[in-house]
Amino acid sequence: GQSLEQPSEVTAVEGAIVQINCTYQTSGFYGLSWYQQHDGGAPTFLSYNALDGLEETGRFSSFLSRSDSYGYLLLQELQMKDSASYFCAVFNSGYSTLTFGKGTMLLVSP
Amino acid sequence: NAGVTQTPKFQVLKTGQSMTLQCAQDMNHNSMYWYRQDPGMGLRLIYYSASEGTTDKGEVPNGYNVSRLNKREFSLRLESAAPSQTSVYFCASSRVYEQYFGPGTRLTVT
């Protein structure tokens, strides 16, 4: 089966940089994704990494190291609106389904 | 283009009652999913449908049934609701590695 570990909560101040880590155990690896969910809202897709390295999308970047079964989401120039839960997720075989981590709640303070 | 829609948004059931949660997507996606989200548990897959006419069990299928009515619609049925099924239910559809979520149904079983 698949399992993912990520911190339950991270706090930071506006304008700072924060990194949310995710380690995974999986029988077959097809890629690591990140989703954002604001309180009371639906999850929304942020990024996907299939290969090692850093993927950048605006203020958000995602990193993957397949040899270490590890990835992280990097958020720069934090804004209050970035306060949300962030989930890492791995694909099961052939992109059929995703297994999600339990989520990291990010609290951004002024 | 509405994306993924779900009805109802809120529902209160008594133990033993039945109900069907409806989901529809207008993005012409083949794959659709039903998740439940409980505090501190992340998103857990109940059932999924990789294409019209097929359905498969996810991580937590007990107490639920699904129907893939056509390519657009995927419904989730609770035949005899139990308090343990109190949760937020999300429907999603996917294009390769990106999943799109509906707004959710908040279900309380008393």
Side-chain angles (χ1 to χ4, degrees):
Chain A
Q2 326 279 52
S3 68
L4 299 98
E5 293 287 334
Q6 52 182 129
S8 58
E9 189 174 303
V10 173
T11 58
V13 296
E14 266 188 305
I17 299 172
V18 73
Q19 179 174 311
I20 300 173
N21 298 320
C22 174
T23 57
Y24 58 86
Q25 290 185 330
T26 176
S27 54
F29 183 75
Y30 292 84
L32 182 71
S33 292
W34 289 91
Y35 285 78
Q36 178 192 59
Q37 184 180 30
H38 286 100
D39 192 33
T44 56
F45 173 81
L46 288 177
S47 68
Y48 167 72
N49 294 67
L51 303 176
D52 290 353
L54 192 68
E55 296 278 344
E56 298 181 66
T57 309
R59 294 187 297 113
F60 293 5
S61 302
S62 57
F63 172 82
L64 175 66
S65 168
R66 289 177 297 169
S67 60
D68 296 322
S69 297
Y70 164 74
Y72 64 72
L73 181 68
L74 190 74
L75 297 86
Q76 303 182 73
E77 301 172 19
L78 280 174
Q79 301 175 10
M80 296 294 290
K81 68 178 182 179
D82 297 328
S83 292
S85 291
Y86 294 83
F87 296 88
C88 58
V90 290
F91 278 98
N92 302 304
S93 64
Y95 301 106
S96 59
T97 60
L98 278 171
T99 297
F100 284 83
K102 294 184 178 180
T104 299
M105 184 178 295
L106 171 63
L107 302 171
V108 180
S109 57
Chain B
N1 196 349
V4 180
T5 57
Q6 292 183 237
T7 55
K9 286 188 167 52
F10 300 93
Q11 184 71 47
V12 179
L13 291 178
K14 293 189 186 326
T15 297
Q17 287 184 319
S18 62
M19 77 162 296
T20 299
L21 283 66
Q22 306 287 354
C23 173
Q25 52 94 8
D26 62 2
M27 295 174 281
N28 202 35
H29 290 162
N30 286 321
S31 299
M32 297 186 73
Y33 311 84
W34 276 105
Y35 294 91
R36 62 177 288 172
Q37 186 173 35
D38 303 295
M41 295 296 292
L43 289 148
R44 292 184 292 169
L45 184 66
I46 304 171
Y47 270 93
Y48 68 102
S49 171
S51 61
E52 188 178 351
T54 68
T55 61
D56 285 287
K57 294 178 181 179
E59 180 186 353
V60 288
N62 290 345
Y64 305 95
N65 285 299
V66 290
S67 295
R68 183 74 182 267
L69 304 169
N70 47 55
K71 192 170 187 178
R72 290 188 65 248
E73 298 171 288
F74 188 37
S75 63
L76 178 73
R77 182 159 178 85
L78 287 71
E79 289 291 352
S80 178
S84 60
Q85 294 179 304
T86 293
S87 189
V88 180
Y89 292 85
F90 288 101
C91 176
S93 67
S94 72
R95 177 178 61 84
V96 194
Y97 54 80
E98 185 171 347
Q99 292 197 3
Y100 298 81
F101 286 80
T105 295
R106 281 146 184 82
L107 175 67
T108 301
V109 183
T110 60

